[in-house]
């Protein structure tokens, strides 16, 4: 029985530390974008969706995938995902970050 409690504690500690790192990833990404000249958009946009890392790879057929968060008035309101499928002449892989700003509530709701 003690072993079960120990395993549960280890799992909870790992998940807790992972969630803190996950939050830091979003804060770091926002700071990078703000430093690059988008601070005004963060301040004036009704909301935004932020993807810290989107991975993209292809070899004739390719794809991209990323997980992010949606913010309304600066508050985290949900999570989002993006995916893309491509076909054509391509070879390679890359990763990038992306922020989508929403001008008003109607744009965020769409």
């Amino acid at each position: 029985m003690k072993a079960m409690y120990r395993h549960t504690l280890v799992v909870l500690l790992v998940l807790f530390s992972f969630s803190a790192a996950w939050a830091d990833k979003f804060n770091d990404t926002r700071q990078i974008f703000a430093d690059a000249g988008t601070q005004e958009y963060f301040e004036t946009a009704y909301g935004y969706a932020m993807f810290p890392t989107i991975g993209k790879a292809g070899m004739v057929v390719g794809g991209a995938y990323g997980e992010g968060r949606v913010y309304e008035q600066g508050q985290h309101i949900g999570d989002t995902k993006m995916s893309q499928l491509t076909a054509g002449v391509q070879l390679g892989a890359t990763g990038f970050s992306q922020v989508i700003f929403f001008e008003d509530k109607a744009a965020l709701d769409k």
Side-chain angles (χ1 to χ4, degrees):
M1 193 62 127
K2 287 183 182 181
M4 186 173 108
Y5 288 123
R6 255 184 278 158
H7 286 41
T8 303
L9 180 61
V10 169
V11 168
L12 289 174
L13 288 173
V14 168
L15 290 175
F16 179 74
S17 63
F18 177 75
S19 65
W22 183 253
D24 288 344
K25 179 168 41 171
F26 286 93
N27 293 333
D28 293 346
T29 302
R30 179 187 163 126
Q31 191 60 49
I32 290 168
F33 275 97
D35 291 346
T38 62
Q39 182 61 36
E40 178 184 347
Y41 294 108
F42 284 108
E43 294 170 359
T44 60
Y46 184 81
Y48 56 93
M50 185 178 343
F51 299 89
T53 305
I54 298 174
K56 184 174 183 180
M59 185 173 178
V60 180
V61 175
Y65 179 79
E67 295 181 355
R69 287 185 175 175
V70 179
Y71 295 84
E72 179 178 16
Q73 304 280 305
Q75 298 297 314
H76 174 229
I77 61 168
D79 298 325
T80 187
K81 297 176 184 176
M82 70 79 54
S83 59
Q84 177 186 39
L85 180 63
T86 58
V89 178
Q90 56 187 314
L91 177 64
T94 189
F96 58 95
S97 299
Q98 179 174 324
V99 176
I100 303 168
F101 294 100
F102 304 107
E103 185 175 10
D104 53 29
K105 183 164 176 44
L108 176 67
D109 289 344
K110 283 185 180 180

